[in-house]
């Protein structure tokens, strides 16, 4: 998904996303099934994200952020004891992906 990142950085980012999604879901007292049903998504999709097997699209990430009423950045926040990533490359890659998604949504709705 992020062509500018090496494989180790991508794995670490998936883990961070997974940990934060699980944390937010559990804070709401939701099982994976209940969360999937609330968003109209497949349980296997939520499970794969939380097990670092799948990425989410920018649109799905936006749905998660809206559901939990948090900024998208919340899904990528690292605990202070986490290994450091080259944040410049990560932000650049994420920005490109989100910009492209926003353009695509705008085209669909003629905005």
């Amino acid at each position: 998904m992020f062509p500018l990142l090496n494989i180790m950085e991508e794995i670490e980012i998936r883990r961070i996303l997974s940990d934060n999604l699980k944390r937010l879901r559990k804070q709401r007292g939701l099982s994976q099934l209940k969360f999937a049903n609330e968003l109209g998504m497949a349980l296997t999709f939520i499970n794969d994200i939380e097990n670092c097997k799948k990425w989410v699209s920018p649109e799905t990430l936006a749905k998660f952020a809206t559901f939990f009423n948090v900024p998208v950045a919340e899904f990528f926040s690292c605990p202070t004891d986490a290994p450091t990533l080259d944040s410049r490359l990560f932000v650049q890659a994420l920005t490109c992906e989100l910009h492209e998604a926003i353009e695509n949504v705008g085209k669909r709705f003629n905005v």
Side-chain angles (χ1 to χ4, degrees):
M1 178 175 191
F2 298 109
L4 300 176
L5 301 176
N6 70 43
I7 192 69
M8 292 307 292
E9 290 170 328
E10 184 174 326
I11 290 168
E12 181 62 16
I13 293 167
R14 282 185 191 212
R15 187 192 60 74
I16 292 166
L17 171 64
S18 167
D19 290 348
N20 286 317
L21 181 60
K22 283 184 227 179
R23 176 181 52 78
L24 289 166
R25 178 180 57 75
K26 288 178 180 183
Q27 283 175 350
R28 284 267 183 104
L30 298 172
S31 66
Q32 284 185 346
L33 179 60
K34 178 86 170 145
F35 179 55
N37 287 340
E38 292 272 338
L39 290 173
M41 296 179 176
L43 171 62
T44 54
F45 179 67
I46 299 300
N47 185 272
D48 284 349
I49 294 167
E50 289 192 3
N51 286 306
C52 304
K53 294 178 182 176
K54 286 196 176 182
W55 273 112
V56 295
S57 69
E59 292 88 356
T60 300
L61 192 56
K63 284 181 185 178
F64 290 166
T66 300
F67 180 83
F68 290 113
N69 195 30
V70 297
V72 169
E74 179 75 19
F75 294 98
F76 299 103
S77 63
C78 300
T80 55
D81 62 343
T84 59
L85 298 171
D86 184 341
S87 59
R88 183 180 48 75
L89 286 178
F90 171 68
V91 169
Q92 182 181 10
L94 183 60
T95 301
C96 289
E97 292 284 335
L98 290 174
H99 181 70
E100 183 178 315
I102 290 167
E103 283 182 357
N104 289 339
V105 170
K107 288 176 187 175
R108 273 189 253 157
F109 293 101
N110 297 318
V111 178

